[in-house]
Amino acid sequence: MDHPSAIDHDARLAALTEAFAQSLADKRAAIARSWRAWQAGDALARDELRTLTHRLGGAADNYGYVAVGEAARALDALLIPRLATPADAAATTVAALLAAFERPPEAI
């Protein structure tokens, strides 16, 4: 028989995983918006894109979205302020991240 705390933990994890999955469309849209704004010359959008990818890169693996997490961390690394990566140099990495949202989660 499962210990009650283990059941509670599993239920909480399932609820958190579902909430994360439900938030992915909004996260993808925010990343795409920031990306378009940065391409249009909005320097603050670059910072917003870094914040979004940094958070996503830290969280995605925990919910089984390993491909999303890896792609987010790759873009986050390019956006480190001291690197001053221009938007055109990040295009391939952004495209990989946006494509990763279409992949199903891996088992956790």
Side-chain angles (χ1 to χ4, degrees):
M1 183 168 131
D2 287 328
H3 189 276
S5 65
I7 293 169
D8 292 344
H9 179 297
D10 292 345
R12 284 192 309 257
L13 181 58
L16 289 170
T17 300
E18 179 61 26
F20 185 83
Q22 293 297 318
S23 74
L24 284 177
D26 289 340
K27 291 178 188 328
R28 187 185 191 287
I31 288 167
R33 257 191 323 276
S34 293
W35 169 238
R36 286 190 303 272
W38 183 30
Q39 286 180 300
D42 182 349
L44 294 177
R46 182 187 190 282
D47 295 336
E48 177 65 20
L49 185 59
R50 174 137 199 263
T51 298
L52 292 166
T53 58
H54 184 79
R55 289 177 181 163
L56 184 61
D61 291 6
N62 294 322
Y63 300 105
Y65 291 87
V66 176
V68 170
E70 289 173 351
R73 287 188 298 278
L75 182 54
D76 180 35
L78 278 180
L79 298 175
I80 293 171
R82 65 181 165 74
L83 294 181
T85 303
D88 60 342
T92 301
T93 309
V94 171
L97 173 56
L98 294 174
F101 279 91
E102 306 307 317
R103 295 185 58 185
E106 293 82 3
I108 57 172

